[in-house]
Short mmCIF file of all heavy atoms in Angstrom, two decimals:
data_model
loop_
_atom_site.label_atom_id
_atom_site.label_comp_id
_atom_site.label_asym_id
_atom_site.label_seq_id
_atom_site.Cartn_x
_atom_site.Cartn_y
_atom_site.Cartn_z
N TRP U 66 9.66 4.00 10.07
CA TRP U 66 8.90 3.17 9.17
C TRP U 66 8.21 4.00 8.13
O TRP U 66 7.59 4.98 8.42
CB TRP U 66 7.78 2.46 9.94
CG TRP U 66 8.23 1.22 10.58
CD1 TRP U 66 8.56 1.05 11.87
CD2 TRP U 66 8.42 -0.02 9.93
NE1 TRP U 66 8.92 -0.22 12.08
CE2 TRP U 66 8.84 -0.91 10.93
CE3 TRP U 66 8.28 -0.48 8.63
CZ2 TRP U 66 9.11 -2.22 10.66
CZ3 TRP U 66 8.55 -1.79 8.37
CH2 TRP U 66 8.96 -2.64 9.38
N SER U 69 10.93 7.34 5.41
CA SER U 69 12.12 7.90 4.77
C SER U 69 12.12 7.66 3.28
O SER U 69 11.65 6.67 2.77
CB SER U 69 13.36 7.28 5.38
OG SER U 69 13.39 5.93 5.03
N ARG U 70 12.70 8.57 2.60
CA ARG U 70 12.79 8.45 1.15
C ARG U 70 14.24 8.22 0.83
O ARG U 70 14.99 9.12 0.57
CB ARG U 70 12.37 9.76 0.52
CG ARG U 70 11.15 10.31 1.17
CD ARG U 70 9.96 9.92 0.38
NE ARG U 70 8.77 10.47 0.96
CZ ARG U 70 7.85 9.73 1.54
NH1 ARG U 70 8.03 8.47 1.67
NH2 ARG U 70 6.77 10.28 2.03
N GLN U 72 17.40 6.86 -1.23
CA GLN U 72 17.70 6.38 -2.55
C GLN U 72 18.37 5.04 -2.41
O GLN U 72 18.85 4.69 -1.35
CB GLN U 72 18.55 7.34 -3.30
CG GLN U 72 19.36 8.24 -2.39
CD GLN U 72 20.24 9.11 -3.19
OE1 GLN U 72 20.53 8.81 -4.33
NE2 GLN U 72 20.71 10.19 -2.63
N PRO U 75 24.29 1.17 -2.26
CA PRO U 75 24.79 -0.20 -2.25
C PRO U 75 24.44 -0.91 -0.96
O PRO U 75 24.22 -2.09 -0.94
CB PRO U 75 26.30 -0.05 -2.36
CG PRO U 75 26.51 1.31 -2.88
CD PRO U 75 25.34 2.13 -2.53
N PHE U 77 22.08 -1.67 2.39
CA PHE U 77 20.65 -1.75 2.60
C PHE U 77 20.09 -0.42 2.98
O PHE U 77 18.91 -0.20 2.92
CB PHE U 77 20.33 -2.71 3.73
CG PHE U 77 20.46 -4.14 3.33
CD1 PHE U 77 20.41 -5.12 4.29
CD2 PHE U 77 20.63 -4.50 2.03
CE1 PHE U 77 20.52 -6.44 3.95
CE2 PHE U 77 20.75 -5.84 1.69
CZ PHE U 77 20.68 -6.81 2.65
N GLY U 83 15.68 -5.24 14.29
CA GLY U 83 14.80 -5.85 15.28
C GLY U 83 13.85 -4.90 15.95
O GLY U 83 13.13 -4.16 15.32
N ASP U 121 2.29 6.94 7.55
CA ASP U 121 2.16 5.72 6.75
C ASP U 121 1.00 5.83 5.78
O ASP U 121 1.08 5.35 4.65
CB ASP U 121 1.93 4.52 7.67
CG ASP U 121 3.22 4.08 8.34
OD1 ASP U 121 4.29 4.50 7.86
OD2 ASP U 121 3.14 3.34 9.33
N PHE U 133 -5.12 -3.43 -0.81
CA PHE U 133 -5.91 -4.33 0.02
C PHE U 133 -5.02 -5.13 0.94
O PHE U 133 -4.86 -6.33 0.80
CB PHE U 133 -6.73 -5.26 -0.87
CG PHE U 133 -7.55 -4.49 -1.86
CD1 PHE U 133 -7.43 -4.72 -3.21
CD2 PHE U 133 -8.43 -3.52 -1.44
CE1 PHE U 133 -8.19 -4.01 -4.13
CE2 PHE U 133 -9.19 -2.80 -2.34
CZ PHE U 133 -9.06 -3.05 -3.69
N SER U 134 -4.48 -4.43 1.89
CA SER U 134 -3.54 -5.11 2.77
C SER U 134 -3.83 -4.74 4.20
O SER U 134 -4.26 -3.63 4.50
CB SER U 134 -2.13 -4.67 2.41
OG SER U 134 -1.26 -4.84 3.51
N SER U 144 -2.83 -5.65 13.87
CA SER U 144 -3.21 -4.81 12.74
C SER U 144 -4.35 -3.89 13.13
O SER U 144 -5.13 -4.19 14.02
CB SER U 144 -3.68 -5.67 11.58
OG SER U 144 -2.71 -6.59 11.23
N ASP U 150 -7.19 -7.95 4.14
CA ASP U 150 -6.08 -8.50 3.39
C ASP U 150 -6.64 -9.25 2.19
O ASP U 150 -7.34 -10.24 2.36
CB ASP U 150 -5.33 -9.51 4.28
CG ASP U 150 -3.87 -9.19 4.39
OD1 ASP U 150 -3.42 -8.20 3.77
OD2 ASP U 150 -3.17 -9.93 5.10
N GLU U 155 -5.86 -13.62 -5.23
CA GLU U 155 -7.28 -13.81 -4.94
C GLU U 155 -8.11 -12.89 -5.80
O GLU U 155 -9.14 -13.28 -6.37
CB GLU U 155 -7.54 -13.53 -3.45
CG GLU U 155 -7.01 -14.63 -2.55
CD GLU U 155 -7.03 -14.22 -1.09
OE1 GLU U 155 -6.46 -13.17 -0.75
OE2 GLU U 155 -7.61 -14.95 -0.30
N ARG U 157 -7.31 -11.63 -8.60
CA ARG U 157 -7.25 -12.05 -10.00
C ARG U 157 -8.14 -13.25 -10.24
O ARG U 157 -8.80 -13.35 -11.27
CB ARG U 157 -5.81 -12.40 -10.33
CG ARG U 157 -5.68 -12.83 -11.76
CD ARG U 157 -4.27 -13.01 -12.15
NE ARG U 157 -4.18 -13.19 -13.60
CZ ARG U 157 -3.07 -13.10 -14.27
NH1 ARG U 157 -1.95 -12.84 -13.64
NH2 ARG U 157 -3.07 -13.30 -15.57
N LEU U 173 -16.26 -5.49 -11.18
CA LEU U 173 -15.78 -4.12 -11.22
C LEU U 173 -16.42 -3.31 -10.10
O LEU U 173 -15.76 -2.51 -9.44
CB LEU U 173 -16.10 -3.49 -12.58
CG LEU U 173 -15.38 -4.16 -13.74
CD1 LEU U 173 -15.88 -3.61 -15.06
CD2 LEU U 173 -13.89 -3.97 -13.63
N GLU U 213 -8.75 -9.49 13.37
CA GLU U 213 -7.80 -10.57 13.56
C GLU U 213 -8.18 -11.57 14.60
O GLU U 213 -7.33 -12.05 15.29
CB GLU U 213 -6.43 -10.05 13.98
CG GLU U 213 -6.36 -8.66 13.73
CD GLU U 213 -5.87 -8.43 12.39
OE1 GLU U 213 -6.59 -8.73 11.44
OE2 GLU U 213 -4.78 -7.98 12.36
N ALA U 215 -8.70 -14.14 14.06
CA ALA U 215 -7.98 -15.27 13.52
C ALA U 215 -6.79 -15.59 14.38
O ALA U 215 -6.44 -16.73 14.55
CB ALA U 215 -7.52 -14.93 12.14
N PHE U 216 -6.21 -14.59 14.92
CA PHE U 216 -5.03 -14.91 15.67
C PHE U 216 -5.31 -15.49 16.99
O PHE U 216 -4.55 -15.36 17.91
CB PHE U 216 -4.13 -13.70 15.79
CG PHE U 216 -3.47 -13.53 14.50
CD1 PHE U 216 -3.58 -12.38 13.79
CD2 PHE U 216 -2.84 -14.60 13.97
CE1 PHE U 216 -3.00 -12.27 12.57
CE2 PHE U 216 -2.28 -14.50 12.74
CZ PHE U 216 -2.36 -13.34 12.05
N SER U 244 0.36 -8.65 22.26
CA SER U 244 0.89 -9.78 21.52
C SER U 244 -0.23 -10.78 21.32
O SER U 244 -0.51 -11.61 22.14
CB SER U 244 2.01 -10.43 22.30
OG SER U 244 1.50 -10.84 23.56
N PHE U 246 -0.46 -13.23 19.37
CA PHE U 246 -0.27 -14.55 18.82
C PHE U 246 -0.03 -15.64 19.81
O PHE U 246 -0.74 -16.61 19.87
CB PHE U 246 0.91 -14.58 17.89
CG PHE U 246 0.74 -13.69 16.73
CD1 PHE U 246 -0.33 -12.84 16.67
CD2 PHE U 246 1.64 -13.70 15.74
CE1 PHE U 246 -0.50 -12.01 15.60
CE2 PHE U 246 1.49 -12.88 14.67
CZ PHE U 246 0.44 -12.05 14.60
N SER U 347 -14.01 -16.27 8.06
CA SER U 347 -12.77 -15.53 8.17
C SER U 347 -13.00 -14.23 8.86
O SER U 347 -14.00 -13.57 8.71
CB SER U 347 -12.21 -15.26 6.82
OG SER U 347 -11.92 -13.91 6.76
N ASP H 40 0.05 -17.20 -20.20
CA ASP H 40 -0.49 -16.26 -19.22
C ASP H 40 0.52 -16.15 -18.08
O ASP H 40 1.54 -16.83 -18.09
CB ASP H 40 -1.85 -16.73 -18.71
CG ASP H 40 -2.72 -15.57 -18.24
OD1 ASP H 40 -2.15 -14.50 -17.92
OD2 ASP H 40 -3.95 -15.72 -18.18
N SER H 41 0.18 -15.32 -17.13
CA SER H 41 1.17 -15.01 -16.08
C SER H 41 1.72 -16.25 -15.40
O SER H 41 1.00 -17.19 -15.12
CB SER H 41 0.53 -14.13 -15.00
OG SER H 41 0.06 -12.95 -15.56
N LYS H 151 -7.59 -21.95 4.83
CA LYS H 151 -6.99 -21.82 6.15
C LYS H 151 -6.52 -23.13 6.75
O LYS H 151 -6.50 -23.28 7.97
CB LYS H 151 -7.96 -21.17 7.13
CG LYS H 151 -8.50 -19.87 6.63
CD LYS H 151 -9.30 -19.21 7.70
CE LYS H 151 -10.14 -18.12 7.10
NZ LYS H 151 -10.93 -17.44 8.08
N PRO H 170 -4.45 -19.71 11.13
CA PRO H 170 -5.32 -18.62 11.59
C PRO H 170 -6.00 -17.90 10.44
O PRO H 170 -7.04 -17.28 10.62
CB PRO H 170 -4.34 -17.67 12.29
CG PRO H 170 -3.01 -18.03 11.78
CD PRO H 170 -3.04 -19.48 11.44
N ARG H 172 -5.92 -17.36 5.74
CA ARG H 172 -5.58 -17.98 4.46
C ARG H 172 -4.06 -18.06 4.30
O ARG H 172 -3.35 -17.11 4.59
CB ARG H 172 -6.15 -17.15 3.31
CG ARG H 172 -7.64 -17.05 3.32
CD ARG H 172 -8.07 -15.77 2.62
NE ARG H 172 -8.01 -14.64 3.51
CZ ARG H 172 -8.04 -13.38 3.11
NH1 ARG H 172 -8.08 -13.09 1.83
NH2 ARG H 172 -7.98 -12.40 3.99
N TYR H 174 -0.79 -17.64 2.53
CA TYR H 174 -0.34 -16.84 1.40
C TYR H 174 0.96 -17.34 0.81
O TYR H 174 1.22 -17.18 -0.37
CB TYR H 174 -0.19 -15.36 1.82
CG TYR H 174 -1.48 -14.57 1.73
CD1 TYR H 174 -1.55 -13.26 2.19
CD2 TYR H 174 -2.62 -15.12 1.18
CE1 TYR H 174 -2.72 -12.54 2.10
CE2 TYR H 174 -3.79 -14.41 1.08
CZ TYR H 174 -3.84 -13.11 1.54
OH TYR H 174 -5.00 -12.39 1.46
N GLU H 189 -3.65 -11.42 7.00
CA GLU H 189 -3.68 -10.67 8.27
C GLU H 189 -2.37 -10.81 9.03
O GLU H 189 -2.34 -10.92 10.25
CB GLU H 189 -4.85 -11.12 9.16
CG GLU H 189 -6.20 -11.07 8.49
CD GLU H 189 -6.60 -9.67 8.03
OE1 GLU H 189 -6.16 -8.69 8.63
OE2 GLU H 189 -7.35 -9.57 7.04
N ARG H 190 -1.31 -10.82 8.29
CA ARG H 190 0.03 -10.76 8.87
C ARG H 190 0.32 -11.90 9.84
O ARG H 190 0.96 -11.71 10.87
CB ARG H 190 0.24 -9.41 9.57
CG ARG H 190 0.07 -8.24 8.64
CD ARG H 190 0.01 -6.92 9.37
NE ARG H 190 1.17 -6.71 10.19
CZ ARG H 190 1.13 -6.60 11.52
NH1 ARG H 190 -0.02 -6.71 12.17
NH2 ARG H 190 2.22 -6.42 12.20
N ILE H 207 4.75 -16.31 15.28
CA ILE H 207 5.62 -15.14 15.40
C ILE H 207 4.83 -13.91 15.03
O ILE H 207 4.05 -13.92 14.08
CB ILE H 207 6.82 -15.29 14.44
CG1 ILE H 207 7.58 -16.56 14.79
CG2 ILE H 207 7.72 -14.09 14.51
CD1 ILE H 207 8.78 -16.79 13.93
N GLU H 208 5.06 -12.87 15.80
CA GLU H 208 4.41 -11.61 15.44
C GLU H 208 5.12 -11.03 14.24
O GLU H 208 6.33 -10.99 14.19
CB GLU H 208 4.50 -10.63 16.60
CG GLU H 208 3.54 -11.01 17.68
CD GLU H 208 3.68 -10.10 18.88
OE1 GLU H 208 4.59 -9.26 18.86
OE2 GLU H 208 2.90 -10.26 19.80
N PRO H 210 7.08 -9.15 11.66
CA PRO H 210 8.01 -8.03 11.67
C PRO H 210 7.67 -7.00 10.61
O PRO H 210 8.37 -5.99 10.50
CB PRO H 210 9.37 -8.69 11.36
CG PRO H 210 9.04 -9.95 10.66
CD PRO H 210 7.69 -10.38 11.10
N LYS H 212 4.72 -4.56 8.47
CA LYS H 212 3.47 -3.87 8.77
C LYS H 212 2.36 -4.15 7.77
O LYS H 212 1.22 -3.78 8.01
CB LYS H 212 3.71 -2.35 8.80
CG LYS H 212 4.73 -1.99 9.86
CD LYS H 212 4.54 -0.58 10.35
CE LYS H 212 5.09 0.41 9.35
NZ LYS H 212 5.12 1.78 9.90
N GLN H 214 0.76 -6.64 4.26
CA GLN H 214 0.44 -8.00 3.85
C GLN H 214 1.69 -8.79 3.48
O GLN H 214 2.54 -8.31 2.76
CB GLN H 214 -0.50 -7.92 2.64
CG GLN H 214 -0.96 -9.24 2.12
CD GLN H 214 -1.82 -9.03 0.87
OE1 GLN H 214 -1.51 -9.51 -0.19
NE2 GLN H 214 -2.92 -8.34 1.01
N ARG H 216 3.79 -11.53 1.51
CA ARG H 216 3.65 -11.94 0.11
C ARG H 216 4.46 -13.17 -0.22
O ARG H 216 4.03 -14.00 -1.02
CB ARG H 216 4.09 -10.79 -0.78
CG ARG H 216 3.91 -11.01 -2.22
CD ARG H 216 2.85 -10.08 -2.78
NE ARG H 216 2.73 -10.31 -4.21
CZ ARG H 216 1.89 -11.17 -4.74
NH1 ARG H 216 1.09 -11.87 -3.99
NH2 ARG H 216 1.86 -11.35 -6.06
N ARG H 239 9.33 -4.33 1.20
CA ARG H 239 10.20 -4.50 2.36
C ARG H 239 10.36 -5.99 2.63
O ARG H 239 9.45 -6.78 2.45
CB ARG H 239 9.57 -3.85 3.58
CG ARG H 239 10.49 -3.59 4.71
CD ARG H 239 9.73 -2.98 5.88
NE ARG H 239 9.33 -1.60 5.64
CZ ARG H 239 10.04 -0.54 6.00
NH1 ARG H 239 11.19 -0.69 6.62
NH2 ARG H 239 9.59 0.68 5.76
N ASN H 254 17.79 -9.63 13.93
CA ASN H 254 16.67 -9.53 13.01
C ASN H 254 16.57 -8.11 12.49
O ASN H 254 16.73 -7.16 13.23
CB ASN H 254 15.36 -9.86 13.73
CG ASN H 254 15.35 -11.30 14.22
OD1 ASN H 254 16.05 -12.13 13.68
ND2 ASN H 254 14.55 -11.56 15.23
N THR H 256 14.96 -5.50 8.99
CA THR H 256 14.19 -5.42 7.75
C THR H 256 14.92 -4.48 6.82
O THR H 256 15.69 -3.64 7.26
CB THR H 256 12.78 -4.88 7.98
OG1 THR H 256 12.85 -3.50 8.32
CG2 THR H 256 12.08 -5.63 9.08
N LYS H 258 14.41 -2.18 3.00
CA LYS H 258 13.50 -1.74 1.96
C LYS H 258 14.07 -2.15 0.61
O LYS H 258 15.26 -2.16 0.38
CB LYS H 258 13.33 -0.23 1.99
CG LYS H 258 12.68 0.23 3.27
CD LYS H 258 12.25 1.65 3.14
CE LYS H 258 12.89 2.44 4.23
NZ LYS H 258 12.44 3.79 4.34
N ASN H 266 15.60 12.62 -3.87
CA ASN H 266 15.98 12.36 -2.48
C ASN H 266 14.88 12.27 -1.44
O ASN H 266 14.67 11.26 -0.84
CB ASN H 266 16.98 13.41 -2.01
CG ASN H 266 18.35 12.81 -2.06
OD1 ASN H 266 18.46 11.61 -2.06
ND2 ASN H 266 19.35 13.66 -2.13
N TRP H 300 21.11 -9.64 -2.76
CA TRP H 300 21.50 -9.05 -1.47
C TRP H 300 22.36 -10.02 -0.69
O TRP H 300 22.22 -11.22 -0.79
CB TRP H 300 20.25 -8.77 -0.63
CG TRP H 300 19.15 -8.07 -1.32
CD1 TRP H 300 18.24 -8.62 -2.16
CD2 TRP H 300 18.83 -6.68 -1.24
NE1 TRP H 300 17.36 -7.66 -2.61
CE2 TRP H 300 17.71 -6.47 -2.05
CE3 TRP H 300 19.40 -5.61 -0.55
CZ2 TRP H 300 17.12 -5.21 -2.20
CZ3 TRP H 300 18.80 -4.37 -0.69
CH2 TRP H 300 17.69 -4.18 -1.52
N LYS H 307 23.49 -4.58 -0.53
CA LYS H 307 22.90 -4.98 -1.80
C LYS H 307 24.03 -5.32 -2.74
O LYS H 307 25.03 -4.61 -2.80
CB LYS H 307 22.07 -3.83 -2.37
CG LYS H 307 21.31 -4.25 -3.59
CD LYS H 307 20.71 -3.11 -4.32
CE LYS H 307 19.89 -2.21 -3.45
NZ LYS H 307 19.03 -1.35 -4.25
N HIS H 342 -7.11 -5.08 -12.53
CA HIS H 342 -7.44 -5.61 -13.84
C HIS H 342 -7.19 -4.61 -14.96
O HIS H 342 -7.06 -4.98 -16.11
CB HIS H 342 -8.90 -6.05 -13.87
CG HIS H 342 -9.84 -4.89 -13.68
ND1 HIS H 342 -10.18 -4.38 -12.46
CD2 HIS H 342 -10.47 -4.10 -14.58
CE1 HIS H 342 -11.00 -3.36 -12.61
NE2 HIS H 342 -11.19 -3.17 -13.88
#
Side-chain angles (χ1 to χ4, degrees):
Chain U
W66 275 100
S69 68
R70 317 264 182 249
Q72 24 177 340
F77 284 170
D121 284 344
F133 306 124
S134 156
S144 304
D150 235 0
E155 287 169 305
R157 181 173 190 166
L173 296 173
E213 344 271 69
F216 284 122
S244 59
F246 298 7
S347 130
Chain H
D40 207 338
S41 300
K151 307 187 195 180
R172 298 154 277 165
Y174 274 174
E189 306 300 332
R190 301 169 56 243
I207 301 181
E208 285 176 356
K212 300 206 283 189
Q214 182 183 120
R216 184 112 179 91
R239 197 182 288 267
N254 296 336
T256 70
K258 296 192 237 188
N266 259 339
W300 312 80
K307 187 191 308 196
H342 64 277

